[in-house]
Amino acid sequence: NAGVTQTPKFRVLKTGQSMTLLCAQDMNHEYMYWYRQDPGMGLRLIHYSVGEGTTAKGEVPDGYNVSRLKKQNFLLGLESAAPSQTSVYFCASSQGQGGYGYTFGSGTRLTVV
Amino acid sequence: TQLLEQSPQFLSIQEGENLTVYCNSSSVFSSLQWYRQEPGEGPVLLVTVVTGGEVKKLKRLTFQFGDARKDSSLHITAAQPGDTGLYLCGGTSYGKLTFGQGTILTVHP
């Protein structure tokens, strides 16, 4: 089925390790987003992209970097993982701004020990 | 940061009951979106409302956008166990979607 695919689905990291989360969408959407979801705090925007080659900071960008080298892919990197980054990470894409709905991936559960 | 307050945070009801979830903010949004999320999955879009005062119906679900585009409500009629899940409201402004904390709904048979 068409949609947003996230890899990996689960990951355990040690403090200080680095990793990259991959998001791929096949709907030709211009906009892509990375959110983290923590209990009682809803979904918080980390970084987003309004097109290939562009990125911008969201609400909670510290400790994360992103890249959008290809329109269909949006990568989220953690350079030096910390326990506070233990969370479920969701990637989403949308056709445009305003009233366009978002399509979410199924998430990556990351634990930093 | 524009804040969206969702209430209640938890709702536990019996099958057949009606319920309303509220989403309030002091900020004006371009649109208000409602999502439903099941455990282990990402949120799935239910509806988008863009015009102040707009009402949309999706089977037993009724969504309303406030006249001033600062608040919204989700009403479910005759809830069923299959409605169980996390309901999230999100407001869009300047191209970004900001979410409320969510409402965990449990419908008991």
Side-chain angles (χ1 to χ4, degrees):
Chain A
N1 290 337
V4 177
T5 303
Q6 291 183 236
T7 53
K9 291 189 181 300
F10 303 93
R11 186 71 187 268
V12 178
L13 283 180
K14 292 183 179 179
T15 298
Q17 285 185 321
S18 63
M19 78 162 295
T20 300
L21 281 66
L22 173 62
C23 176
Q25 54 98 0
D26 59 4
M27 297 168 287
N28 202 35
H29 284 172
E30 287 292 337
Y31 294 72
M32 296 187 75
Y33 313 84
W34 276 106
Y35 286 87
R36 60 179 287 174
Q37 186 173 36
D38 302 291
M41 302 189 73
L43 287 145
R44 292 181 293 168
L45 182 64
I46 305 171
H47 286 282
Y48 65 102
S49 168
V50 300
E52 181 179 318
T54 74
T55 63
K57 294 181 180 180
E59 181 186 353
V60 287
D62 294 343
Y64 305 96
N65 57 77
V66 289
S67 65
R68 182 104 181 265
L69 299 179
K70 293 183 179 180
K71 185 177 183 179
Q72 64 267 34
N73 296 334
F74 195 26
L75 306 180
L76 177 70
L78 286 73
E79 290 186 347
S80 180
S84 60
Q85 294 178 303
T86 293
S87 187
V88 182
Y89 291 86
F90 287 99
C91 176
S93 70
S94 70
Q95 190 174 346
Q97 296 183 350
Y100 291 97
Y102 286 26
T103 301
F104 282 85
S106 57
T108 295
R109 183 173 293 277
L110 175 66
T111 303
V112 183
V113 297
Chain B
T1 302
Q2 297 173 295
L3 296 176
L4 271 170
E5 295 290 333
Q6 233 180 291
S7 61
Q9 279 198 305
F10 302 94
L11 201 49
S12 180
I13 62 173
Q14 293 298 123
E15 182 176 2
E17 292 184 5
N18 301 331
L19 67 112
T20 302
V21 178
Y22 299 93
C23 184
N24 296 297
S25 176
S26 58
S27 303
V28 175
F29 292 100
S30 305
S31 73
L32 216 300
Q33 303 179 8
W34 285 92
Y35 292 78
R36 180 167 170 265
Q37 184 178 18
E38 297 194 38
E41 298 294 328
V44 176
L45 180 68
L46 294 173
V47 77
T48 299
V49 284
V50 297
T51 304
E54 182 176 3
V55 177
K56 280 192 176 179
K57 292 192 174 183
L58 186 66
K59 296 184 180 178
R60 294 176 293 100
L61 278 60
T62 301
F63 306 85
Q64 185 162 6
F65 201 11
D67 291 341
R69 291 189 289 131
K70 294 181 178 181
D71 54 85
S72 181
S73 64
L74 158 62
H75 182 79
I76 301 179
T77 303
Q80 299 176 359
D83 295 327
T84 292
L86 172 66
Y87 289 81
L88 293 156
C89 70
T92 62
S93 182
Y94 300 105
K96 292 181 287 185
L97 184 62
T98 301
F99 286 93
Q101 316 97 302
T103 295
I104 298 175
L105 171 65
T106 305
V107 182
H108 302 279

